[in-house]
Amino acid sequence: MISLLLCIGAFLVCLFASQRSQVIGLVVLLAIGYAYGITRANVPDPYSHFIFDAAVLGLYCSQLFRRLTRSQEYRVRGVKSWLELLIAWPLLLLLIPSQDLLIRLVGLRGTIFFLPFMIIGARLTDVERYELATWLAALNLCAFAFAVTEFFTGIEGFFPRNELTHRIYLSKDVASYSAYRIPATFLGSHAYAGSMVMTLPLFLGALQQTRKEAFRKVLLVAGAIASLLGILMSASRLHFVIAAMIVIIAVFSMKSKVSHLLGWVLIVSGIGWLVSGEQRLQRFTELQNTETVSERVIGSVNMGFFELAATYPFGNGLGGGGTSIPYFLRDRIEKPIGMENEYARIMLEQGVLGLALWLAFITWLLTRPGLAKSDPWFYGNRLAWVTCAAYFGTGLIGTGLLTSIPQTCLLLLNVGWVAARQSAQGNESVLSEQNNVMAQVPRLRSSAVQVGRI
């Protein structure tokens, strides 16, 4: 009963918050996403699975009848067509009874439910993106406070042992198998680390803006530091590599003052000093074992993928190819099959055609023209592109890219931002031409009056 009330409350809160402001709605939704894991772990009944889904529905409902401005229409034009294709094909597959209806619905949810965040990300203005970045910094600091507490006191006081937290308690592989990976308020350490990584492009892009208040600048810096430390405490090697790549690109590509570069040196040196003195923050050093890494990659990208494609060219039905299914529905899956590869999951559930659609979309996305260097968000947008490319690339060695809460929402917001680049530029040029025309109207009227007098 409590979880059902939480679902209703999440829906209403997001609905009313989104009607007030798109940014406020997103912040409330992401706050619910940040708290989703710890809430679901402590309220372990079937309805708790739908708390975040209810919040997303509230956000969507608030946007249904909101008219797009001309600027927003330009920004979403390219990504909207792809969104329709990526949604239409799974909807057709829903009609094929290859799996139990409930399994197909769960598979459909994991395939298309979060995709509209690409449109929302494309619609965000520069001002809205800056506001969102500052709020996310505050959320990351709150999550970091939980992470630090769990780091020193243990996770048992926050996550009771049950079916939902089983994987958390399987992750005792840190510091010679003496400590757990830290999940903070998320349902797993990977969700925590991934969400932290996805906020970095926004933070670093916001720090490049000229119109920033001192308080917000401090908040953004603190949020970025908390994100990097949280990634280390989560002990996720994959997310650490992507975060390190973002930081390196940011340091060497951004036009920064000497004081900014010194600030980066101090931050990285401070984090390095903390890591050197704490074995629990050093799991990423296992990347030196190239044999283990290569086995992981080869095991995910091997001939088994092509054998599955030949055996299941039309897929094994929505939900039957590796989508995370709630424990109370798993016995309904017919011929369960899967591979630790996001593209294999797409192929096994949507067939070869569905996989081809996704590969075509990713290719289109990553070949979009970039923002002009004069644009204040140029570097943030470049980092968003790098982050999206990195996560789509690592989909070859893992699953959950389209179902992680709230990492997937943050990823798709960045996807929308990257996809809207050309539209945004085109819109700005059109608006500039319109402004020039409007500025000439009084002159034309004046000339017409003078001619009339003559």
Side-chain angles (χ1 to χ4, degrees):
M1 183 63 179
I2 294 177
S3 59
L4 180 59
L5 293 175
L6 288 174
C7 289
I8 296 172
F11 174 82
L12 293 175
V13 168
C14 279
L15 176 65
F16 293 124
S18 302
Q19 288 178 341
R20 183 176 180 181
S21 164
Q22 183 172 243
V23 173
I24 294 176
L26 278 174
V27 170
V28 171
L29 173 75
L30 292 171
I32 293 173
Y34 274 50
Y36 171 74
I38 197 169
T39 303
R40 182 178 159 190
N42 287 275
V43 188
D45 65 66
Y47 285 115
S48 67
H49 288 76
F50 306 106
I51 293 174
F52 187 70
D53 290 17
V56 173
L57 284 176
L59 177 69
Y60 288 169
C61 288
S62 71
Q63 305 297 314
L64 285 177
F65 304 105
R66 177 174 292 180
R67 294 186 59 183
L68 298 182
T69 64
R70 184 173 300 178
S71 173
Q72 290 173 334
E73 288 178 354
Y74 274 106
R75 287 199 294 269
V76 305
R77 180 174 296 175
V79 71
K80 184 179 179 181
S81 299
W82 279 106
L83 177 66
E84 292 170 351
L85 279 174
L86 294 174
I87 289 178
W89 179 242
L91 284 175
L92 288 174
L93 294 177
L94 180 67
L95 303 176
I96 302 175
S98 53
Q99 292 286 344
D100 182 87
L101 178 60
L102 291 178
I103 298 299
R104 279 181 280 150
L105 288 173
V106 174
L108 182 70
R109 179 261 182 197
T111 301
I112 70 172
F113 189 62
F114 294 135
L115 294 187
F117 277 89
M118 293 191 293
I119 296 292
I120 297 174
R123 287 167 49 176
L124 289 175
T125 64
D126 291 350
V127 174
E128 290 175 330
R129 194 170 291 109
Y130 183 75
E131 292 289 330
L132 180 62
T134 54
W135 279 106
L136 281 173
L139 288 177
N140 285 10
L141 287 170
C142 292
F144 180 67
F146 277 88
V148 170
T149 306
E150 293 167 8
F151 189 84
F152 290 107
T153 65
I155 63 175
E156 292 81 3
F158 298 90
F159 293 89
R161 291 179 181 269
N162 54 47
E163 182 69 24
L164 298 175
T165 60
H166 180 64
R167 289 191 176 184
I168 292 178
Y169 285 97
L170 285 178
S171 66
K172 194 174 184 179
D173 56 357
V174 181
S176 301
Y177 297 88
S178 64
Y180 294 101
R181 304 181 196 179
I182 300 300
T185 58
F186 299 78
L187 200 55
S189 59
H190 277 281
Y192 175 37
S195 299
M196 297 301 100
V197 173
M198 291 309 311
T199 59
L200 289 176
L202 279 171
F203 295 162
L204 299 178
L207 285 170
Q208 292 292 308
Q209 306 308 301
T210 55
R211 299 178 303 169
K212 53 181 181 287
E213 303 170 8
F215 170 75
R216 295 198 179 197
K217 182 178 179 180
V218 172
L219 184 62
L220 289 167
V221 172
I225 294 173
S227 301
L228 294 173
L229 290 173
I231 294 165
L232 290 170
M233 286 192 289
S234 74
S236 173
R237 294 168 295 188
L238 172 64
H239 298 298
F240 170 82
V241 170
I242 298 176
M245 183 167 49
I246 292 172
V247 171
I248 292 172
I249 293 174
V251 171
F252 289 101
S253 66
M254 289 184 175
K255 294 181 179 179
S256 302
K257 299 178 181 177
V258 175
S259 58
H260 293 170
L261 293 176
L262 289 176
W264 272 114
V265 171
L266 290 175
I267 291 172
V268 174
S269 299
I271 293 175
W273 176 76
L274 287 174
V275 171
S276 65
E278 178 55 63
Q279 187 181 3
R280 293 171 63 184
L281 300 178
Q282 299 174 10
R283 187 170 181 264
F284 66 91
T285 58
E286 295 178 12
L287 290 168
Q288 295 175 352
N289 188 349
T290 56
E291 183 178 350
T292 301
V293 176
S294 61
E295 287 178 358
R296 173 76 179 274
V297 175
I298 295 172
S300 299
V301 190
N302 56 15
M303 287 303 297
F305 179 92
F306 299 102
E307 292 172 2
L308 288 174
T311 307
Y312 300 94
F314 303 104
N316 190 38
L318 292 175
T323 293
S324 179
I325 304 294
Y327 66 91
F328 52 85
L329 292 177
R330 289 173 189 164
D331 59 340
R332 293 173 175 262
I333 305 176
E334 299 179 13
K335 298 183 299 182
I337 189 171
M339 177 183 286
E340 197 173 359
N341 182 318
E342 186 68 19
Y343 299 101
R345 185 197 67 80
I346 294 173
M347 184 267 296
L348 286 171
E349 299 199 5
Q350 301 183 47
V352 175
L353 179 57
L355 176 62
L357 284 175
W358 267 101
L359 293 178
F361 167 70
I362 294 171
T363 302
W364 173 84
L365 174 72
L366 299 181
T367 55
R368 300 290 287 162
L371 292 175
K373 285 191 175 182
S374 58
D375 191 288
W377 281 94
F378 169 75
Y379 292 105
N381 187 271
R382 172 185 287 182
L383 294 177
W385 185 95
V386 169
T387 307
C388 292
Y391 275 106
F392 281 127
T394 56
L396 292 168
I397 57 173
T399 58
L401 190 64
L402 299 178
T403 56
S404 179
I405 296 175
Q407 179 192 347
T408 298
C409 300
L410 291 167
L411 169 65
L412 294 175
L413 286 175
N414 279 287
V415 167
W417 184 14
V418 173
R421 291 180 297 179
Q422 185 177 10
S423 298
Q425 289 178 344
N427 181 48
E428 290 172 359
S429 62
V430 169
L431 291 178
S432 177
E433 291 176 3
Q434 291 177 344
N435 291 334
N436 291 336
V437 171
M438 294 302 294
Q440 293 175 5
V441 168
R443 299 177 184 176
L444 294 174
R445 289 178 178 174
S446 177
S447 299
V449 171
Q450 292 178 1
V451 171
R453 289 178 179 175
I454 293 174

